[in-house]
Amino acid sequence: RKEVEQDPGPFNVPEGATVAFNCTYSNSASQSFFWYRQDCRKEPKLLMSVYSSGNEDGRFTAQLNRASQYISLLIRDSKLSDSATYLCVVNSGSARQLTFGSGTQLTVLP
Amino acid sequence: DAGVIQSPRHEVTEMGQEVTLRCKPISGHNSLFWYRQTMMRGLELLIYFNNNVPIDDSGMPEDRFSAKMPNASFSTLKIQPSEPRDSAVYFCASTPLEGGSSYTFGSGTRLTVV
C-alpha cells in the first residue's frame, strides 16, 4: 500500500464549479499535512498547510480526519488559473521528511 | 531571497556519461532534499541532509547515484554512469531545521539520457 494515496483524476470542471480532492495516508504517527500545487513543467509549491481543526484560505478549504487518516481539499468557485496538479503531502519518519502523493490533475474549463 | 537555485535547468547527455546536478538551498535552511519525478513513479525522495550530514539515502536507486553537501550552501547529485532510465526531473528542496516542515523547491533539472 502506498504511504499517501490520492484519486489521480483527471478532474475536468467548468469555471465556477466546486471540486473536492481526497487523500488517505497510512502512517498513523504522521503529524504534518500539506497540499502542494504543481503547474505543468514547474516545481511543486506549497498551497496550504492542513490543521486538525480544518482551515480555509479564500476559496480553498482543507480538512483533516486523523481517525480515518484522511485529508481533503475543497476548491470553491474554481478559476481557469486553478488548473494544475494538486499533491497531498504527509510527513513520515523524521518531522522533516515529507512523502508526496502522486497528485490529482485538475483542469478548469471556460 | 533568491529561493532554492538549481543548475543546470536542462541536461541532455549520452548514456555512460557522468552527470552532476547542483543545488544552492535558501540561506539559513539546514535541511536539504533531493527528489526525482517521473510520470510513472511521481516524486521520490532520493536523499536528504541535515546540517550537511546525509541522514537517509535509502531512496538512492543504486550505486551509480551519489550526493554530497560539502557546506551549508551547496549540494551535488552525481550519476555515473548515466542510463536512459535515469531520465527525469530532479528537484532539490530545503527547509529550516527548526519548526515549520514545509519545503521550498528549486525549479528542477530536466535530465534526458539518450
Side-chain angles (χ1 to χ4, degrees):
Chain A
R1 182 186 172 190
K2 285 186 180 178
E3 203 162 340
V4 180
E5 297 209 55
Q6 291 184 248
D7 182 342
F11 285 65
N12 297 317
V13 302
E15 262 185 297
T18 296
V19 60
F21 304 140
N22 303 319
C23 167
T24 57
Y25 60 96
S26 61
N27 187 346
S28 59
S30 297
Q31 294 295 320
S32 302
F33 310 91
F34 307 91
W35 284 100
Y36 273 68
R37 169 194 169 127
Q38 186 172 23
D39 293 290
C40 186
R41 302 180 78 85
K42 298 284 190 180
E43 73 273 22
K45 291 185 178 179
L46 178 66
L47 177 66
M48 60 195 302
S49 302
V50 185
Y51 303 118
S52 296
S53 54
N55 50 298
E56 188 173 305
D57 183 1
R59 298 181 292 108
F60 298 83
T61 301
Q63 298 273 351
L64 169 64
N65 184 321
R66 287 186 185 272
S68 302
Q69 294 178 207
Y70 171 93
I71 306 162
S72 66
L73 176 68
L74 184 76
I75 305 176
R76 292 181 300 278
D77 187 24
S78 52
K79 312 290 185 191
L80 296 176
S81 57
D82 294 334
S83 297
T85 297
Y86 290 83
L87 301 162
C88 177
V89 185
V90 176
N91 84 317
S92 60
S94 77
R96 275 159 292 284
Q97 187 175 352
L98 299 183
T99 301
F100 287 75
S102 55
T104 299
Q105 185 179 346
L106 170 68
T107 301
V108 181
L109 304 168
Chain B
D1 195 326
V4 176
I5 300 173
Q6 290 187 247
S7 64
R9 290 295 301 273
H10 302 274
E11 177 82 32
V12 180
T13 190
E14 290 185 346
M15 183 173 61
Q17 295 297 307
E18 178 180 295
V19 176
T20 300
L21 311 181
R22 297 172 175 80
C23 176
K24 175 179 167 56
I26 291 174
S27 177
H29 282 195
N30 299 95
S31 293
L32 182 142
F33 305 80
W34 282 101
Y35 278 85
R36 177 172 69 176
Q37 187 174 40
T38 61
M39 288 291 292
M40 293 296 295
R41 302 173 68 92
L43 267 168
E44 301 175 281
L45 177 64
L46 300 177
I47 186 171
Y48 78 96
F49 297 82
N50 281 349
N51 290 323
N52 314 335
V53 176
I55 302 300
D56 184 355
D57 66 353
S58 59
M60 297 285 261
E62 47 196 275
D63 291 346
R64 297 184 297 106
F65 285 69
S66 63
K68 293 182 179 179
M69 192 164 185
N71 58 62
S73 59
F74 184 65
S75 177
T76 60
L77 177 67
K78 186 175 293 186
I79 308 172
Q80 165 64 20
S82 57
E83 297 182 3
R85 61 193 168 120
D86 301 331
S87 298
V89 181
Y90 291 81
F91 287 107
C92 175
S94 70
T95 191
L97 192 61
E98 299 81 18
S101 54
S102 66
Y103 298 176
T104 301
F105 282 82
S107 301
T109 295
R110 185 171 296 273
L111 174 65
T112 303
V113 183
V114 297

